[in-house]
Amino acid sequence: MVTENDIQINSSKYENKQQALEEISTFVSKRTNIDKDKLLAGFLEREQESNTAIGDEFAIPHAVLTDISDSYVFLHIFEDGVDWQAYDDKKVRIAFSLVVAGDLHNVQHIRKLSAIASNLMDEEVQKILKESRNKKELSNLVNKMGEKL
Amino acid sequence: MKIVGICACTAGVAHTYIARDKLIKAAEARNHEIHIETQGTIGVEFELTEEQIKEADIVITAVDIKVSEDRFVGKKIVRIPTHIAIKAAGQLIEKLEQEV
């Protein structure tokens, strides 16, 4: 269940993806008590495999960690946009960060994260994510996205 | 044309499903029939039926990990990484139209 506290609306400027991922890691660490450096290393490792930007101002950075049992999702809105080196050259304004339990995972948690990714391709969903800055509305939307793959 | 395929990324959580949606949108926009199975951390979803595979003109595997191709023996298979499906699904489908 995503709450308003899992949503970050951020007006700061970030020079690049690395800086944005540091900010994401700090935010996620506060919410989960998972070590910030461990999160950042996980996010960076995944970016090295392939860029997590999916075009049209969206990205889904994720960290797969082996010693956690719960998986998490957070929504980060970067008002100023982040140069994510996306294939379409658009700055990323909306990032869903996923923290994924690699070994001891709860399948229902991961199913929810997969459903959120899948529903991110829905045009109506994209419109709300780009326009709404109401955390209540956004958290309701994310929960709805997670319901069905 | 009729297309079947598999998507599977390394983490098997997010981009598998993004790649699937991009391929489906691109194919349907050009009036093709398409069915894409996902092989993720949660297992197989949208599983291809024998009939879908039998009728397919072409198979796309958009994968970053090794997947079994046993069901596609005798079929033309196009193998791409998931990021190609995510950034260039439209161009891929256009290219396949010329090849099939």
Side-chain angles (χ1 to χ4, degrees), chain A residues 46 49 51-54 60 62 64 87 98 100 105 107 110-111 113-114 117-118 120-122 149, chain B residues 9-15 17-18 20-22 25 38 41-42 45-46 64 82-83 86-88:
Chain A
R46 177 61 183 81
E49 280 172 15
N51 196 311
T52 62
I54 59 166
I60 316 176
H62 43 292
V64 179
Y87 68 86
L98 312 182
V100 183
H105 60 247
V107 174
I110 295 183
R111 172 173 288 276
L113 304 190
S114 295
S118 179
L120 184 50
M121 296 304 296
D122 183 278
L149 191 66
Chain B
C9 64
T10 47
V13 175
H15 292 75
Y17 306 92
I18 300 292
R20 174 178 186 268
D21 283 37
K22 294 242 185 182
K25 277 195 181 140
T38 52
T41 300
I42 58 172
E45 301 281 339
F46 315 105
D64 305 323
T82 54
H83 73 90
I86 291 171
K87 68 181 169 197

Side-chain angles (χ1 to χ4, degrees), chain A residues 20-127:
Chain A
L21 287 170
E22 281 177 23
E23 171 57 28
I24 286 173
S25 300
T26 302
F27 182 87
V28 172
S29 178
K30 280 183 193 149
R31 298 286 303 140
T32 62
N33 289 323
I34 298 169
D35 180 66
K36 186 203 149 188
D37 293 335
K38 199 187 278 183
L39 288 163
L40 181 59
F43 286 126
L44 290 173
E45 188 185 327
R46 177 61 183 81
E47 291 299 329
Q48 271 166 12
E49 280 172 15
S50 68
N51 196 311
T52 62
I54 59 166
D56 207 21
E57 303 184 355
F58 293 95
I60 316 176
H62 43 292
V64 179
L65 303 179
T66 50
D67 49 359
I68 57 172
S69 51
D70 290 342
S71 296
Y72 306 88
V73 57
F74 302 94
L75 171 60
H76 313 263
I77 296 178
F78 294 102
E79 300 286 18
D80 200 49
V82 177
D83 178 7
W84 210 278
Q85 293 159 304
Y87 68 86
D88 60 359
D89 291 330
K90 286 189 184 171
K91 285 188 170 187
V92 165
R93 286 177 209 283
I94 295 140
F96 280 92
S97 68
L98 312 182
V99 180
V100 183
D103 293 333
L104 306 159
H105 60 247
N106 174 327
V107 174
Q108 283 314 109
H109 288 176
I110 295 183
R111 172 173 288 276
K112 192 171 87 176
L113 304 190
S114 295
I116 287 169
S118 179
N119 287 311
L120 184 50
M121 296 304 296
D122 183 278
E123 281 172 24
E124 193 55 36
V125 165
Q126 292 192 351
K127 190 169 182 292

Side-chain angles (χ1 to χ4, degrees), chain A residues 8-19:
Chain A
Q8 176 185 33
I9 298 177
N10 194 323
S11 317
S12 305
K13 286 187 193 299
Y14 297 96
E15 292 292 318
N16 50 40
K17 178 163 81 171
Q18 164 96 21
Q19 284 186 5

